[in-house]
Amino acid sequence: MNGWLIATLCAAVLQTARTALQQQLKGRLSTNAAGFIRYAFGAPFSLGAVAVMMLFGVNLPPISTGFLLRVAIAGAAQIIGTFFLITAFTKRDFAIGTVYSKTEAIQVALISGVVLSEGLKPLAWVGMIVLLFGIMILATKGSRSALAGLFSRTGDVGMWAGIAAGTGFAVAGTFIRWASISLGTGASPVVRALLTLAVMNSMQVVMNGAWLAIRTPTEFAAIRREWRSSAVVGLLSVAGSAGWAIGVTLQKAAIVRAVGQIDIVFAFIVGTLVFHEKRQRSEFVGTLVVALGVVVVTLAR
C-alpha cells in the first residue's frame, strides 16, 4: 500500500475521533475555544516531534519567507474551517454537519487546480462527482423533493456553515501542500510534513489565541478546567494533521482529501454509537455511494 494512502486513512480515523471529542467539549467551551484547544495542546506535540528529529541529527530544510506566508494562509484557513464545522454541528448534528463540510472534495480539486496547476484525470473527476452525489443523498436523507431543492435552501445556516468549513479545509490542504513541497527534496517527505505542521500549529496558537483574548478572554479559564480532555484533543489533532500533511506532501491535495472522505463512514458510526443519532436507510446508501467515489478516485490517481 502506498505511503500517502496509509497516512490518509490514519488521518481520517484520528480526525473523526478528535472531532467527536471536540463535539463533546462544545457544551463546556465556546465554539472558538473548542477550536483553539486543538492548536494550543497540539503545538507542543508537533514542536516536540521536530525537536526529536533534531536531537537525532536530522537536518531540517531552510525556511523561506514564501514558506511562512503559505503556512500562515493554511493555518488561518484551518482555523476558519474548524469554526464553521463546529457551528454546523450546533445547527444540525454531528454526522450531517460533517457531510456538508465534505464538499471540500470538489473545492480542493478546483482550488489546487488554480493555485498549483495540478489537474486531475477524467476518471478522478467522475469519482468526485460520485462523492458529491453521495454527499447530497446524505444531506437530504434520500428525499427526492429535498434533493431537488438542495441548492435553494438558502436559509439553512447549518448547510452554509458546513460548506464554508469545506472551503476553509480545501484552502488549508492546498497551501499545506504548497508549503511542504516548497521546502525542496533535500529532506524526506515526513520531515517536511512535520516541520510544516509544527510551524503552522505555532502560528495558529498565536492567531486563535489573540482572537480569544480580544473577544472572550474568560474562555481561557474554562480551557484550563478542561485541560485533560483538551490535551487528548491536541494529541489526536496533531497526529491526524501529521497524516494529512504527509499525505499531501506525497500526493496531490485533491486526491488525498477525496480519499479522506471515507471518514464520513466513521462519522456516522460515531454519531450513531456515541451521540445516539438516528439513521435512515437512505443515509447508509449515501455512505456506500461515497465509499464508491473514494475507490474510483483512488484508482484514478
Side-chain angles (χ1 to χ4, degrees):
M1 186 180 290
N2 292 330
W4 72 268
L5 186 55
I6 295 174
T8 300
L9 294 176
C10 289
V13 173
L14 292 166
Q15 176 177 283
T16 302
R18 181 262 300 165
T19 305
L21 186 53
Q22 273 186 304
Q23 170 69 351
Q24 291 179 320
L25 286 172
K26 178 61 180 68
R28 304 191 292 274
L29 298 173
S30 70
T31 299
N32 275 320
F36 175 68
I37 60 175
R38 66 178 291 191
Y39 315 122
F41 289 87
F45 292 110
S46 59
L47 290 170
V50 172
V52 169
M53 289 191 300
M54 294 176 65
L55 184 64
F56 280 90
V58 175
N59 293 321
L60 301 181
I63 293 176
S64 66
T65 302
F67 169 82
L68 293 175
L69 178 60
R70 291 161 196 145
V71 171
I73 293 173
Q78 192 176 72
I79 290 173
I80 294 170
T82 300
F83 171 82
F84 279 115
L85 181 61
I86 298 175
T87 300
F89 292 159
T90 64
K91 301 300 181 182
R92 295 297 297 268
D93 63 27
F94 177 76
I96 298 303
T98 299
V99 164
Y100 280 127
S101 72
K102 294 311 172 187
T103 55
E104 170 198 0
I106 298 294
Q107 296 188 62
V108 73
L110 296 173
I111 293 172
S112 63
V114 172
V115 175
L116 300 177
S117 300
E118 292 185 339
L120 297 178
K121 296 178 181 179
L123 184 59
W125 280 108
V126 171
M128 293 284 187
I129 293 172
V130 172
L131 274 171
L132 183 59
F133 184 62
I135 291 169
M136 292 168 63
I137 293 174
L138 289 169
T140 60
K141 299 182 185 281
S143 168
R144 292 184 180 180
S145 59
L147 187 62
L150 182 63
F151 298 104
S152 64
R153 300 170 65 185
T154 56
D156 190 337
V157 177
M159 178 187 74
W160 290 114
I163 292 173
T167 302
F169 295 141
V171 172
T174 299
F175 277 81
I176 288 172
R177 173 167 172 77
W178 193 6
S180 183
I181 62 179
S182 73
L183 292 173
T185 58
S188 72
V190 173
V191 171
R192 285 182 280 148
L194 291 179
L195 178 59
T196 301
L197 179 61
V199 174
M200 185 176 75
N201 281 167
S202 301
M203 287 183 174
Q204 288 171 320
V205 171
V206 175
M207 289 187 284
N208 209 358
W211 178 259
L212 273 182
I214 294 171
R215 296 297 298 270
T216 54
T218 57
E219 283 296 320
F220 288 109
I223 291 172
R224 284 194 296 271
R225 287 195 301 271
E226 300 293 339
W227 71 269
R228 290 181 178 84
S229 296
S230 297
V232 177
V233 169
L235 178 59
L236 291 172
S237 177
V238 76
S241 295
W244 293 125
I246 293 170
V248 299
T249 299
L250 294 169
Q251 181 59 267
K252 294 177 182 177
I255 297 295
V256 170
R257 299 307 294 184
V259 172
Q261 305 306 302
I262 196 67
D263 71 351
I264 289 178
V265 177
F266 306 146
F268 270 81
I269 293 173
V270 171
T272 301
L273 299 182
V274 178
F275 299 115
H276 307 292
E277 297 166 354
K278 304 231 179 250
R279 297 284 159 243
Q280 299 179 8
R281 182 180 299 176
S282 62
E283 293 174 292
F284 290 100
V285 172
T287 60
L288 290 176
V289 174
V290 168
L292 175 61
V294 168
V295 171
V296 173
V297 171
T298 302
L299 294 176
R301 71 182 189 281

